[in-house]
Amino acid sequence: MADNATDFAAQLPQLEAVARRAGEIAMGFFRPGEKTSAAVSYKDGGSPVTEADMAVDRFLQEAAMALFPDAGWLSEETADNKERLLRPRLLVVDPIDGTQAFLRGDRRWAVSIALIDQGRPKLGVIHAPALEWTFAAAAGHGAALNGAPIRVATLAVLAGARLEAPRGLAARFAGSEYKFAVQDRTPSLALRVADVASGRNDLTIASADSKDWDIAAADVILTEAGGVLSELEGLPLRYNRPQLRRDMLVAAPQSIFPESLALARAVSKGVI
C-alpha cells in the first residue's frame, strides 16, 4: 500500500504496465482506418460501447485493483457503487476514451487510469496504443511522454494560442480578439488535455457534461507539466464526489490560465 507521494511514484511503472496490457487487449479489436471487429451495443442515451471496452474494463478492474486493493472503483463501463465515497482512495478508469474514434478506425483514443487520494489525482496514465504514446505522471514528480519529461508551452499572452475545442465553442472563441489557431479536435478528451501538457497545443476547452473518468488521469499529467485544469470557478478539481458530471473545462499553461478562464467565463455567459 502506498502511504506518501514517494510510494505513489514508485508504483507508477506498474500502473503503466497495466495500461499497456489493457492497450494490447483493445488493439486486438482495433482496425486502423476501418470499422472495429468488436461487437457494438448502445447505452441509454445512444452512446456506443464495444466488446473491447468491456474486455478492457474487466482486465483493469482485476489488474489495477490488485495494485491498490484498498481503493474504490469508478469506471465508465461499470455501474457506479456509492461505497467508493467511503474510501480515501479511488481508481478512476476509462477503458477506451474516444470509443467513437476506436469504432471507425481513428487512432486517437486511449486507455485512461488515475489513482485518487483524498480527492485529488496522485497517479495518472493515458496510454494511446495506436499512436504509440504513453503519458504518465505522479504528483510531485513531473510528467512524461514515452519516458521523456514534458512541459506545457511557454506563452506570455493568450493571443495566437493553439486551441482545441468542440466546433460550436471553437467558432465562438475564434470570434474573439485573440486570433486563435484553431486545431483539429482530437476525439479523446484525455488526449486533448495531454496535448496541452506536452506543449503540442496551448489551450483546450471542453463543453459541459464530461465525466470524471474522462479527465482524472489527464488532470495530474497536466498539473505536473506546469498547467491547470479547472471548471469555471478556477479551483483545483475534486474527485470521488457523488456528482460525476463536469461543467465547462479549461486546460491551459499556468502563464495564460487567468486570461483563458476569463474568456471561457465570457463565452459561457454569451458575452462572446
Side-chain angles (χ1 to χ4, degrees):
M1 181 189 303
D3 292 317
N4 54 51
T6 301
D7 289 334
F8 283 130
Q11 291 184 281
L12 184 57
Q14 298 172 70
L15 196 63
E16 288 184 66
V18 166
R20 289 193 181 94
R21 176 61 188 131
E24 290 173 2
I25 293 169
M27 286 295 288
F29 297 91
F30 183 65
R31 300 293 180 266
E34 300 178 8
K35 186 177 178 181
T36 180
S37 65
V40 182
S41 57
Y42 293 87
K43 306 175 190 178
D44 293 343
S47 61
V49 59
T50 73
E51 180 184 1
D53 291 90
M54 302 311 296
V56 172
D57 189 66
R58 288 190 297 271
F59 167 75
L60 289 176
Q61 190 161 14
E62 179 178 343
M65 287 295 292
L67 294 178
F68 303 100
D70 64 331
W73 176 259
L74 177 66
S75 167
E76 181 174 12
E77 308 307 345
T78 305
D80 187 12
N81 184 343
K82 299 300 185 183
E83 187 269 342
R84 65 179 169 80
L85 299 172
L86 304 176
R87 295 176 180 258
R89 293 176 186 156
L90 178 71
L91 282 160
V92 181
V93 166
D94 195 337
I96 297 179
D97 184 49
T99 296
Q100 293 275 13
F102 180 89
L103 272 171
R104 63 178 181 264
D106 184 327
R107 298 176 188 271
R108 296 171 298 170
W109 54 273
V111 178
S112 179
I113 313 172
L115 177 71
I116 307 300
D117 183 62
Q118 303 297 336
R120 284 292 296 159
K122 301 300 183 182
L123 297 177
V125 179
I126 300 170
H127 177 52
L131 297 171
E132 299 184 346
W133 292 349
T134 305
F135 296 88
H141 292 267
L145 169 58
N146 293 349
I150 55 174
R151 294 291 295 176
V152 295
T154 303
L155 296 173
V157 295
L158 186 57
R162 295 163 296 177
L163 166 71
E164 273 193 277
R167 284 192 190 91
L169 280 177
R172 293 170 69 186
F173 277 88
S176 74
E177 65 189 81
Y178 292 97
K179 301 187 186 308
F180 290 111
V182 178
Q183 307 295 299
D184 180 39
R185 179 178 171 273
T186 299
S188 160
L189 177 54
L191 288 176
R192 295 203 298 276
V193 176
D195 279 345
V196 178
S198 67
R200 182 172 178 265
N201 284 322
D202 304 314
L203 173 63
T204 283
I205 305 294
S207 52
D209 210 31
S210 61
K211 304 297 191 300
D212 283 2
W213 46 70
D214 299 312
I215 59 170
D219 189 344
V220 65
I221 291 166
L222 178 59
T223 300
E224 289 299 308
V228 181
L229 176 66
S230 87
E231 294 173 295
L232 295 181
E233 73 274 14
L235 300 174
L237 300 177
R238 302 298 296 178
Y239 296 86
N240 206 10
R241 315 165 306 154
Q243 171 63 261
L244 301 176
R245 181 186 178 275
R246 293 293 178 178
D247 195 355
M248 183 186 288
L249 292 162
V250 179
Q254 290 180 359
S255 60
I256 62 167
F257 178 73
E259 258 190 305
S260 302
L261 183 63
L263 181 59
R265 287 171 173 167
V267 168
S268 74
K269 292 175 182 177
V271 176
I272 294 176

